[in-house]
């Protein structure tokens, strides 16, 4: 087991539904710790660049529109196997297929508006954390 950092985003649907606190609670109860957070309203350019990996997918335009439809909360999370742990607590991309007790099952309604983002690999986690945070904005947990 290794201590890792990963990026989490509470998406505009969940922010709009006032589920920020509940979602952070699911993450914290799973053992993950918040080491950085900020609220942002992404520009079209920021959202487009963040999701550039999906540029060729048919849902790319709608995804950018959704991610810029309201503010988001971006967080760096830390913990043992944080990348996989966060994906586990998030649940499957499609909330209908997400396990009971996961964030997406409990707070998301549709495949496109699915409450949270989580990095899918350690390499992408580093890229995504750097996308939103400067190194001195990550707060080491000294206690
Ligand atoms: P992930 O968020 O579980 O990693 P990805 O495949 O990386 O899922 O897709 C990124 C985001 O794009 C999803 O979280 C969801 O918001 C949206 N998305 C994925 N697949 C579809 C689709 O088939 N239709 C509409 N939106 C989708
Ligand atoms: Mg993904």
């Amino acid at each position: 087991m290794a201590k890792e950092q990963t990026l989490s985003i509470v998406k505009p649907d969940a922010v709009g539904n006032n589920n920020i606190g509940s979602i952070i609670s699911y993450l914290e109860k799973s053992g993950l710790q918040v080491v950085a957070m900020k609220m942002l309203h992404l520009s079209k350019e920021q959202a487009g660049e963040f999701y550039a990996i999906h540029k060729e997918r048919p849902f790319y335009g709608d995804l950018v529109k959704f991610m810029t439809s309201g503010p988001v909360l971006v967080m760096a999370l830390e913990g043992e196997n944080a990348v996989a742990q966060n994906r586990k607590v998030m649940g499957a991309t499609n909330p209908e297929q997400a396990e009971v007790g996961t964030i997406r099952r409990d707070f998301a309604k549709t495949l496109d508006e699915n409450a949270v983002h989580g990095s899918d690999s350690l390499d992408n986690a580093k890229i995504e954390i750097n996308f939103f945070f400067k190194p001195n904005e990550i707060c080491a947990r000294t206690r």
Side-chain angles (χ1 to χ4, degrees):
M1 298 254 279
K3 206 163 226 196
E4 297 175 350
Q5 291 181 347
T6 190
L7 187 88
S8 169
I9 305 179
V10 181
K11 293 182 175 181
D13 57 324
V15 172
N17 290 331
N18 244 9
N19 285 324
I20 292 174
S22 304
I23 288 172
I24 293 175
S25 183
Y26 275 48
L27 296 168
E28 288 191 329
K29 281 187 183 133
S30 84
L32 292 164
Q33 294 186 308
V34 178
V35 290
M37 72 160 70
K38 63 175 80 163
M39 196 167 199
L40 300 165
H41 194 135
L42 297 177
S43 67
K44 204 177 154 194
E45 289 69 32
Q46 277 176 307
E49 192 187 336
F50 184 77
Y51 277 117
I53 196 166
H54 294 307
K55 214 175 217 157
E56 307 306 326
R57 309 281 283 276
F59 57 82
Y60 178 70
D62 286 341
L63 177 59
V64 170
K65 213 179 275 178
F66 162 55
M67 289 301 291
T68 57
S69 66
V72 296
L73 190 84
V74 295
M75 291 179 278
L77 303 174
E78 188 174 83
E80 294 294 327
N81 295 321
V83 173
Q85 180 64 11
N86 182 38
R87 295 291 309 195
K88 188 175 163 196
V89 187
M90 288 165 61
T93 307
N94 186 344
E96 282 177 17
Q97 284 154 17
E99 276 181 45
V100 173
T102 61
I103 292 169
R104 282 170 165 167
R105 176 65 170 255
D106 292 351
F107 299 106
K109 289 184 185 66
T110 61
L111 169 61
D112 47 336
E113 302 205 354
N114 58 4
V116 279
H117 167 84
S119 309
D120 62 4
S121 68
L122 196 52
D123 285 347
N124 282 337
K126 286 177 182 148
I127 292 167
E128 292 180 357
I129 289 170
N130 283 334
F131 187 87
F132 287 112
F133 296 102
K134 298 189 184 82
N136 68 1
E137 291 177 317
I138 311 287
C139 299
R141 288 300 190 104
T142 52
R143 56 178 292 177

